[in-house]
Amino acid sequence: MQLPGTTLLVIDDDDHVRQRISAHMERGGYDVLQARDASEGLAIFNAQRPGLVLCDLHLGDNSGFALVREITERDQDMPVIVISADGVMADVVEALRLGASDYLIKPLDDLVVLEHAVARSLERSRLSLENQRIRERLERANRELENHLKELRDDQAAGHQVQLNMLPASPWASGEYRFEHRLIPSLYLSGDFVDYFRVSDSQLAFYLADVSGHGSSSAFVTVLLKFMTTRLMYEQRKAESSGRIEFKPSDVLSHINRSLIACNLGKHVTMLGGVIDEQQQTLTYSIGGHLPLPVIFADGEASYLQGRGRPVGLFEDAEYQDEVIDLPAQFSLALCSDGVLDCLEGTTLKEKEARLPQLFAESGGALRGLMAGLGIDPNKTMPDDISVLVLGRNAE
């Protein structure tokens, strides 16, 4: 059965050879066009564009070389088989250099050899065209991918700027208290978030959150956290109208828990939240499934605060408890995301957790010293998001 693209053009000034080749190839299922000289062959080639050209290299006017050059320049993918009568290898090499795909030596006693040469050249041509189409498709796909990556980078840059704008100033002082944080994303966008703000004339609030997962979907939840806490404070401010307001950390975690479940985002958060009462000199805090626990440094010693609670956004029946401690005259409190655990020495979680208070004590309760002790390089890609919040009173 003849396949598309199997029209052959035979160019030879020897009528007997040309007709013999043509008759044999037609019996093999090919359509065959014939030309007896270079000008006629070129005219037929331009008009018909066959699938393959068989060309005698030494036509009567010795124009075979020029014809091969002309055909391959017009269509570099066109397979051209040259036929050399005298078998001079220099001529064959020159023809191949000009773009011929194969060569045969006269006399062509066994035309089966010609069939194989034609089939081989057509197959190479087909593969070459297919490879070219594949390259073109890949180039288009690469261009589209580059455009998508640029859009993604632009989106991430915008999201990164949004996150930076949402973060509080660092360091930040209010009354006797000083807050400072560092946030190092494992990707361009972070699933960690910290915030601190004044609730009333005598109350300061803060929290550290670690959203499950990484990247833009987790970063989006940090925007929701900022909105939820701000909205809750606004609603309570309206209810209280003035003075102190009831801004309990457990209420905040419960509110966020309900909201995340209702949003059905498939994300949950581990959180630490607290409120400092400047009049009573107390800290009220609540824990939402977060590790490591907060570390307090006072009188030269560091230890974990106690407490427990379920992750936020997973369980509808989750309840959160408020823990209350008296604040020392001088202290520092460190809140860390679980990415910090990857930076601690030790082979077990227990060993790593034991090391964190030691490092905080060695740093004198200072953020810079703690970061140095953890060996965290802000310019180095980390395996997980890392956030550290240090707050305190009369602490360097």
Side-chain angles (χ1 to χ4, degrees), residues 50-100:
L52 180 142
V53 176
L54 280 161
C55 177
D56 185 7
L57 199 54
H58 298 286
L59 296 172
D61 52 4
N62 202 30
S63 55
F65 289 101
L67 180 59
V68 172
R69 179 188 296 108
E70 185 77 17
I71 289 175
T72 55
E73 284 181 353
R74 296 192 180 195
D75 186 348
Q76 62 181 359
D77 296 318
M78 176 62 60
V80 178
I81 299 177
V82 297
I83 303 173
S84 175
D86 51 20
V88 177
M89 289 308 300
D91 291 346
V92 172
V93 170
E94 176 64 13
L96 294 175
R97 188 187 67 80
L98 293 173

Side-chain angles (χ1 to χ4, degrees), residues 215-269:
S216 56
S217 60
S218 298
F220 174 71
V221 177
T222 67
V223 179
L224 283 179
L225 294 177
K226 179 77 172 182
F227 169 77
M228 291 175 190
T229 53
T230 302
R231 181 69 180 180
L232 184 61
M233 187 173 68
Y234 172 75
E235 294 293 338
Q236 291 188 346
R237 171 58 66 193
K238 282 202 310 182
E240 300 293 336
S241 71
S242 63
R244 292 168 55 81
I245 65 175
E246 290 297 321
F247 197 73
K248 294 181 179 179
S250 59
D251 292 340
V252 176
L253 268 59
S254 295
H255 172 71
I256 295 174
N257 184 65
R258 293 190 298 270
S259 299
L260 285 180
I261 291 174
C263 289
N264 196 27
L265 297 175
K267 292 287 184 179
H268 66 274
V269 185

